[in-house]
Amino acid sequence: MVLHNKIDKRILKEKMLTATEERMTISFYKYHQIAEPKNFRDELYVLLDSLGVMGRIYVAHEGVNAQISLPKNNFEAFREKLYSVSFLQGIRLNIAVDDNGKSFFKLKIQVRKKIVADGLDDSTFDVTQTGVHVNAKDFNALAENPNTIIIDMRNHYESEVGHFKGAVLPDVDTFREELQVAEDLLRDNKDKNLLMYCTGGIRCEKASAWMKHKGFKNVFQLNGGIIEYTRQVKEQGLENKFIGKNFVFDERLGERISEDIVSVCHQCGTACDDHTNCKNDGCHLLFIQCKTCAEQFNHCCSEECKEIIALPEDVQKELRKGINKGRQVFKKGRSEKMIYRKVSHQTPSIL
């Protein structure tokens, strides 16, 4: 049996976009020692593929991290099969709030060294000594406390389009950088309440333990992240302290949480929070673009890229041969092509 998809991604994407079945987007994670990640990966692929699941999943010795979509009518069967895996029994499933289910177009499960690239040597501290998990109601109460510092544990392109009011927003490209920057920013405030949050909670699991290891005494983390917070706020009629969009790593690139627009088009400066990737496959830069600029630049980040996509496909392929952009596509805040780029976040006072 072939345990990966071999169909051209463009065909799969077109099929996903034109499908009429109702789908839902879900994320989940679990830190757990997996003795044979490759075997677990193959077993998980068979289990999920049979239910029409699409998505991106990372498996490592330290656990599993998943962002997926599946047909709504398969949800109960999916949950039953997932919970049949002993260490995943009862795991929290974060269900997307602003979603049509067309978030992924194939199933991709990879074995990695870690389920989140944090750059930490886990043997140097106790990763199980995490911060206190708080729900939406308790998060709001802590946020009102003048002795609390709220810190966003996501990357700059995530917090730029949405964040909690009054949060410290480190201007970083990766989670690996985030940990050191957060420690440096807050080193003189180790007696304050440190309230951490991220998209679905996984980054805070490791980050909160690290900050406790570094001497921060009162560390709290938003249980389930922004996704679960939003669900609880709506369900319980609580005040929503998150403004803007929640950036997500799938085809949607964002979930609308509030109607506030806190960022601008990187090409003209108009209020906008719609992320896109440059249409030139040799660039593929992630940036914010309004509809007017999308039309003017033919969905590209620059006149240069606009000219390139007008060339014959074989010429384009030759131009991008051997180019691997990797994580460079996320460095939109540093790109010289962007006129209205946010060079750095204004960090709120933490005194």
Side-chain angles (χ1 to χ4, degrees):
M1 173 184 266
V2 178
L3 297 181
H4 60 272
N5 200 303
K6 288 188 173 182
I7 302 174
D8 187 286
K9 67 179 181 180
R10 289 170 295 187
I11 296 174
L12 292 171
K13 189 171 183 178
E14 180 64 25
K15 182 179 179 181
M16 180 268 291
L17 291 173
T18 57
T20 57
E21 68 176 358
E22 287 191 88
R23 298 182 67 87
M24 58 195 300
T25 301
I26 297 171
S27 62
F28 63 89
Y29 68 88
K30 181 70 174 181
Y31 279 102
H32 178 83
Q33 284 299 310
I34 300 175
E36 298 290 342
K38 175 62 168 62
N39 292 343
F40 177 76
R41 179 263 175 211
D42 291 347
E43 292 169 3
L44 190 62
Y45 192 101
V46 172
L47 184 153
L48 299 181
D49 188 52
S50 66
L51 294 170
V53 171
M54 302 177 189
R56 183 189 304 111
I57 302 174
Y58 300 137
V59 175
H61 282 292
E62 67 174 0
V64 58
N65 179 18
Q67 295 86 41
I68 63 169
S69 79
L70 73 155
K72 281 189 176 181
N73 57 13
N74 283 353
F75 176 70
E76 292 302 330
F78 159 77
R79 182 163 58 181
E80 182 179 342
K81 284 196 173 187
L82 191 70
Y83 285 3
S84 69
V85 179
S86 59
F87 77 89
L88 296 178
Q89 186 174 10
I91 191 174
R92 183 186 62 249
L93 301 175
N94 287 329
I95 300 175
V97 292
D98 180 21
D99 173 48
N100 62 5
K102 298 182 184 296
S103 47
F104 297 98
F105 52 87
K106 66 178 178 179
L107 178 59
K108 187 175 183 179
I109 306 181
Q110 294 178 300
V111 175
R112 289 193 163 189
K113 289 183 178 180
K114 288 196 172 189
I115 55 176
V116 176
D118 52 39
L120 298 175
D121 179 356
D122 292 353
S123 66
T124 62
F125 69 108
D126 189 346
V127 297
T128 67
Q129 293 299 304
T130 61
V132 177
H133 292 71
V134 296
N135 58 25
K137 182 178 180 180
D138 292 337
F139 182 96
N140 283 358
L142 276 166
E144 295 289 340
N145 188 325
N147 197 47
T148 296
I149 297 172
I150 307 171
I151 185 162
D152 194 316
M153 297 306 296
R154 302 172 303 154
N155 305 322
H156 72 94
Y157 51 87
E158 298 173 84
S159 60
E160 184 174 1
V161 294
H163 50 261
F164 280 102
K165 299 173 185 176
V168 176
L169 311 173
D171 190 27
V172 297
D173 293 325
T174 67
F175 181 54
R176 184 190 301 258
E177 296 173 66
E178 173 92 25
L179 291 167
Q180 186 60 58
V181 171
E183 183 186 339
D184 292 343
L185 281 174
L186 306 174
R187 66 171 69 254
D188 296 327
N189 295 274
K190 292 186 176 180
D191 291 327
K192 289 185 177 290
N193 296 324
L194 180 58
L195 183 55
M196 315 174 83
Y197 71 89
C198 57
T199 306
I202 187 170
R203 283 176 274 192
C204 290
E205 288 292 324
K206 191 70 70 72
S208 65
W210 176 253
M211 296 302 271
K212 288 182 68 176
H213 170 67
K214 286 296 182 176
F216 291 86
K217 297 179 173 59
N218 307 305
V219 182
F220 301 86
Q221 63 186 90
L222 180 57
N223 195 22
I226 299 162
I227 299 173
E228 178 63 12
Y229 174 89
T230 304
R231 187 192 69 78
Q232 291 180 17
V233 162
K234 289 183 176 181
E235 189 177 81
Q236 301 172 31
L238 304 173
E239 177 190 356
N240 174 32
K241 291 183 177 292
F242 189 93
I243 53 175
K245 272 185 177 179
N246 178 29
F247 183 94
V248 291
F249 291 88
D250 58 50
E251 290 295 308
R252 298 170 299 150
L253 293 177
E255 295 180 328
R256 172 66 60 195
I257 306 299
S258 82
E259 295 306 312
D260 305 274
I261 298 178
V262 299
S263 53
V264 300
C265 171
H266 288 159
Q267 291 173 310
C268 72
T270 301
C272 179
D273 56 10
D274 294 331
H275 273 108
T276 189
N277 286 103
C278 180
K279 195 174 179 181
N280 173 18
D281 286 338
C283 173
H284 209 57
L285 182 78
L286 178 75
F287 68 108
I288 298 173
Q289 185 180 55
C290 69
K291 292 180 179 178
T292 300
C293 286
E295 183 175 346
Q296 178 184 342
F297 290 91
N298 197 10
H299 303 277
C300 290
C301 68
S302 64
E303 288 290 349
E304 177 188 11
C305 285
K306 179 181 176 182
E307 291 172 5
I308 289 174
I309 68 167
L311 298 171
E313 181 60 32
D314 59 333
V315 177
Q316 291 185 51
K317 286 182 178 179
E318 191 63 30
L319 286 173
R320 62 176 181 262
K321 187 180 293 183
I323 296 176
N324 181 11
K325 289 292 182 179
R327 292 197 61 83
Q328 292 295 319
V329 301
F330 292 116
K331 293 192 175 183
K332 62 171 179 55
R334 282 76 168 146
S335 172
E336 294 301 325
K337 296 178 181 179
M338 302 291 98
I339 299 173
Y340 294 90
R341 56 198 171 118
K342 203 163 189 178
V343 178
S344 65
H345 286 299
Q346 294 296 313
T347 302
S349 172
I350 55 177
L351 300 178

